[in-house]
Protein backbone atom coordinates (compact mmCIF):
# COMPACT_ATOMS: atom_id res chain seq x y z
CA UNK A 1 0.00 0.00 0.00
CA UNK A 2 2.78 2.46 0.86
CA UNK A 3 4.58 1.80 -2.42
CA UNK A 4 1.56 3.17 -4.28
CA UNK A 5 2.10 6.62 -2.72
CA UNK A 6 5.87 6.52 -2.86
CA UNK A 7 6.24 7.18 -6.59
CA UNK A 8 4.01 10.34 -6.65
CA UNK A 9 5.78 11.66 -3.54
CA UNK A 10 9.19 11.18 -5.12
CA UNK A 11 8.06 12.83 -8.35
CA UNK A 12 6.58 15.77 -6.46
CA UNK A 13 9.80 16.22 -4.50
CA UNK A 14 11.90 16.14 -7.66
CA UNK A 15 9.58 18.63 -9.36
CA UNK A 16 9.73 21.06 -6.41
CA UNK A 17 13.50 20.73 -6.23
CA UNK A 18 13.96 21.40 -9.94
CA UNK A 19 11.56 24.35 -9.81
CA UNK A 20 13.51 25.91 -6.94
CA UNK A 21 16.85 25.27 -8.60
CA UNK A 22 15.66 26.73 -11.93
CA UNK A 23 14.34 29.88 -10.25
CA UNK A 24 17.61 30.38 -8.41
CA UNK A 25 19.60 29.85 -11.61
CA UNK A 26 17.48 32.39 -13.48
CA UNK A 27 17.96 34.97 -10.73
CA UNK A 28 21.71 34.40 -10.78
CA UNK A 29 21.78 34.70 -14.56
CA UNK A 30 19.90 38.01 -14.38
CA UNK A 31 22.31 39.30 -11.72
CA UNK A 32 25.30 38.22 -13.81
CA UNK A 33 23.83 39.84 -16.91
CA UNK A 34 23.23 43.13 -15.09
CA UNK A 35 26.74 43.05 -13.64
CA UNK A 36 28.19 42.44 -17.12
CA UNK A 37 26.24 45.39 -18.55
CA UNK A 38 27.24 47.70 -15.72
CA UNK A 39 30.85 46.55 -16.05
CA UNK A 40 30.94 47.43 -19.75
CA UNK A 41 29.51 50.89 -19.05
CA UNK A 42 31.98 51.39 -16.21
CA UNK A 43 34.86 51.26 -18.68
CA UNK A 44 33.79 54.72 -19.83
CA UNK A 45 34.09 56.21 -16.33
CA UNK A 46 37.84 56.84 -16.52
CA UNK A 47 37.33 59.59 -19.06
CA UNK A 48 33.63 60.45 -18.94
CA UNK A 49 33.00 60.00 -15.20
CA UNK A 50 30.62 57.69 -13.39
CA UNK A 51 27.48 57.22 -15.47
CA UNK A 52 28.86 59.74 -17.99
CA UNK A 53 28.40 62.66 -15.57
CA UNK A 54 31.87 63.99 -16.27
CA UNK A 55 35.14 64.46 -14.47
CA UNK A 56 36.00 67.85 -12.98
CA UNK A 57 38.56 69.53 -15.27
CA UNK A 58 38.69 66.32 -17.29
CA UNK A 59 38.25 67.99 -20.65
CA UNK A 60 36.09 65.13 -21.92
CA UNK A 61 32.55 65.50 -23.22
CA UNK A 62 29.71 64.88 -20.80
CA UNK A 63 27.72 62.01 -22.21
CA UNK A 64 24.99 61.74 -19.58
CA UNK A 65 22.78 64.13 -21.57
CA UNK A 66 22.79 61.96 -24.69
CA UNK A 67 20.20 59.36 -25.60
CA UNK A 68 21.18 55.74 -26.10
CA UNK A 69 20.79 56.20 -29.86
CA UNK A 70 23.08 59.24 -29.89
CA UNK A 71 25.77 57.45 -27.91
CA UNK A 72 25.56 54.38 -30.12
CA UNK A 73 25.75 56.49 -33.29
CA UNK A 74 28.89 58.26 -32.05
CA UNK A 75 30.58 55.06 -30.91
CA UNK A 76 29.88 53.35 -34.22
CA UNK A 77 31.27 56.40 -36.03
CA UNK A 78 34.46 56.15 -33.97
CA UNK A 79 34.67 52.43 -34.66
CA UNK A 80 34.21 52.78 -38.41
CA UNK A 81 36.60 55.72 -38.69
CA UNK A 82 33.85 58.11 -39.81
CA UNK A 83 34.59 60.22 -36.74
CA UNK A 84 38.13 61.07 -35.74
CA UNK A 85 39.48 61.19 -32.23
CA UNK A 86 42.56 60.42 -30.21
CA UNK A 87 41.46 57.60 -27.94
CA UNK A 88 37.84 56.80 -28.77
CA UNK A 89 38.47 55.23 -32.20
CA UNK A 90 40.92 52.79 -30.63
CA UNK A 91 38.59 51.98 -27.75
CA UNK A 92 35.49 51.60 -29.91
CA UNK A 93 37.26 49.15 -32.21
CA UNK A 94 37.82 46.89 -29.20
CA UNK A 95 34.10 46.32 -28.70
CA UNK A 96 31.64 44.27 -30.70
CA UNK A 97 28.55 46.04 -32.02
CA UNK A 98 26.51 44.23 -29.37
CA UNK A 99 28.80 45.51 -26.62
CA UNK A 100 28.58 49.06 -27.97
CA UNK A 101 24.80 48.78 -27.91
CA UNK A 102 24.91 47.54 -24.32
CA UNK A 103 27.11 50.46 -23.29
CA UNK A 104 24.85 52.95 -25.03
CA UNK A 105 21.78 51.47 -23.37
CA UNK A 106 23.41 51.63 -19.96
CA UNK A 107 24.65 55.22 -20.24
CA UNK A 108 22.09 56.87 -22.49
CA UNK A 109 19.00 58.68 -21.37
CA UNK A 110 15.89 56.62 -21.88
Amino acid sequence: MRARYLKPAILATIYIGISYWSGTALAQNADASNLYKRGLAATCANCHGTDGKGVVDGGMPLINTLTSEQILTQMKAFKSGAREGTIMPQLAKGYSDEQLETIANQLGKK
Side-chain angles (χ1 to χ4, degrees):
M1 190 74 141
R2 290 185 185 181
R4 187 166 90 188
Y5 298 109
L6 186 60
K7 186 174 180 182
I10 291 172
L11 291 175
T13 302
I14 291 171
Y15 178 74
I16 291 169
I18 289 174
S19 297
Y20 175 76
W21 177 74
S22 297
T24 303
L26 289 174
Q28 289 174 348
N29 286 341
D31 289 343
S33 177
N34 289 335
L35 183 60
Y36 170 73
K37 291 173 184 178
R38 288 179 37 218
L40 278 177
T43 61
C44 306
N46 287 335
C47 298
H48 296 285
T50 303
D51 297 324
K53 294 178 183 172
V55 175
V56 177
D57 297 325
M60 295 295 163
L62 302 178
I63 58 174
N64 67 324
T65 59
L66 302 175
T67 66
S68 299
E69 289 179 11
Q70 290 171 320
I71 291 173
L72 183 59
T73 298
Q74 293 303 314
M75 289 194 301
K76 284 186 173 183
F78 281 123
K79 185 176 180 177
S80 71
R83 181 169 178 191
E84 293 182 2
T86 53
I87 296 171
M88 279 304 300
Q90 297 167 16
L91 294 175
K93 288 176 185 171
Y95 294 106
S96 68
D97 288 343
E98 182 180 88
Q99 288 173 320
L100 291 178
E101 188 172 330
T102 297
I103 292 168
N105 288 335
Q106 286 293 119
L107 294 176
K109 288 178 110 177
K110 285 15 177 203

